[in-house]
Amino acid sequence: MIWPFKPRYRKQIARIEINGAIGGDTRKQVLEALKTIEEKKFPALLLRIDSPGGTVGDSQEIYSALKRLQKKVKIVASFGNISASGGVYIGMGAEHIMANPGTITGSIGVILRGNNLERLLEKVGVSFKVIKSGPYKDILSFDRELTEPEQQILQELIDTSYQQFVQTVAESRNLPVETVKTFADGRIFTGQQAVELGIVDRLGTEEEARRWAAELVKLDPDKTECFTLEKPKSFANKVLGNNLTPNSLIAANHWLEFELSTNGLPLWMYRP
């Protein structure tokens, strides 16, 4: 039976979860969800973040979409177990931020990694002949060491990305850039420390963040429900669920795919 009345979205809080490494799939899912929130005219959004960060461009696009939505919707971010690096950047798209006292956050900075297998390839007798249009076309190639000019090029790239991150945090949290730089050196800190630094507004659970969002839009926090916007499941998943594959294997597969697809890319990501 189809219920004849539309859900009363204006009396509900939209909820989005951002879990795991941030990449293209996360960006697509979140942007679609934000569009739905705007179309349905939800008054508030509870943004639950549990992520070590991810790719720079995808994090920036999600942040920009959240900033645009701020003009119409109250946004409260709730930091979970970990909201670091790109997770922090996305959180800057929320007007209000809450974290648990023990949440791992921070790691404001940029990292770029490449693999150098030159000596291993020499041992097995493998070499590559490269024809390129310019001296830097194969920068970060895994079969040789970086040259000094290449290191300088990549460092400048990293420094530019870092400045973008610092500037965003400073503007979003109303902090001087120089103040942000005092703790934006890649270090991680707890939610409690984040409050003292001005990155987080309050300490509390996701439930307390939900109540805060309800209060901001003058809804009854005891009665207001969340409407979670999730990634649509395939027909097979709806019928069979994930029972055939352990969650640990699914997570490992996703992480491997992310590592392979982002090798050699600048990342806003916490890598312990």
Side-chain angles (χ1 to χ4, degrees):
M1 176 180 177
I2 300 176
W3 189 251
F5 303 107
K6 293 183 180 179
R8 300 175 67 182
Y9 297 115
R10 295 190 183 186
K11 293 187 177 181
Q12 291 180 316
I13 296 172
R15 179 179 178 275
I16 298 175
E17 279 190 24
I18 296 179
N19 292 312
I22 300 163
D25 287 344
T26 304
R27 172 184 53 79
K28 182 178 179 181
Q29 175 192 344
V30 173
L31 294 187
E32 288 177 352
L34 295 180
K35 183 178 179 181
T36 299
I37 290 169
E38 186 173 0
E39 290 174 347
K40 300 294 185 182
K41 293 182 169 56
F42 283 94
L45 165 62
L46 175 59
L47 183 67
R48 178 68 171 183
I49 304 173
D50 208 326
S51 169
T55 51
V56 173
D58 293 309
S59 299
Q60 287 182 323
E61 288 198 33
I62 294 172
Y63 163 79
S64 296
L66 287 167
K67 290 292 286 185
R68 289 193 297 270
L69 190 65
Q70 267 192 36
K71 299 174 183 178
K72 300 179 179 180
V73 176
K74 293 292 184 182
I75 305 175
V76 176
S78 169
F79 289 177
N81 290 318
I82 179 171
S83 183
S85 208
V88 171
Y89 193 92
I90 288 175
M92 295 300 103
E95 296 173 275
H96 312 283
I97 303 175
M98 183 173 282
N100 293 296
T103 294
I104 298 300
T105 186
S107 189
I108 299 172
V110 195
I111 187 170
L112 184 151
R113 298 197 307 180
N115 299 312
N116 181 9
L117 306 179
E118 184 177 8
R119 288 196 288 179
L120 175 62
L121 294 173
E122 287 177 355
K123 288 183 178 180
V124 297
V126 175
S127 62
F128 295 87
K129 300 297 181 184
V130 179
I131 309 299
K132 53 187 177 180
S133 59
Y136 307 120
K137 187 59 181 175
D138 65 339
I139 197 168
L140 274 179
S141 178
F142 65 85
D143 63 326
R144 64 176 179 82
E145 187 66 67
L146 279 173
T147 65
E148 287 190 12
E150 287 174 332
Q151 290 186 34
Q152 183 176 351
I153 289 171
L154 294 176
Q155 187 62 58
E156 289 175 355
L157 181 151
I158 293 298
D159 291 344
T160 299
S161 180
Y162 170 74
Q163 291 297 334
Q164 293 170 3
F165 201 153
V166 169
Q167 189 66 38
T168 296
V169 172
E171 291 176 356
S172 299
R173 307 307 295 168
N174 295 314
L175 295 170
V177 168
E178 293 306 315
T179 298
V180 176
K181 285 184 177 180
T182 61
F183 55 79
D185 53 8
R187 78 181 70 177
I188 56 174
F189 34 81
T190 66
Q192 184 172 346
Q193 291 172 312
V195 171
E196 297 169 0
L197 294 171
I199 297 297
V200 169
D201 297 303
R202 299 182 187 178
L203 296 177
T205 64
E206 181 181 0
E207 170 60 16
E208 289 171 309
R210 181 198 63 79
R211 295 180 65 88
W212 189 11
E215 291 168 356
L216 288 170
V217 292
K218 296 179 172 55
L219 293 176
D220 186 343
D222 293 323
K223 297 180 180 179
T224 304
E225 297 179 350
C226 280
F227 184 94
T228 300
L229 292 97
E230 299 178 299
K231 181 179 179 181
K233 295 182 179 180
S234 66
F235 177 76
N237 281 340
K238 288 180 181 178
V239 175
L240 301 175
N242 290 326
N243 295 330
L244 299 179
T245 306
N247 289 335
S248 58
L249 290 181
I250 294 174
N253 183 58
H254 288 168
W255 187 258
L256 178 60
E257 289 178 356
F258 179 82
E259 286 283 347
L260 293 174
S261 64
T262 59
N263 183 49
L265 291 179
L267 298 175
W268 286 338
M269 192 162 191
Y270 169 53
R271 291 184 179 274

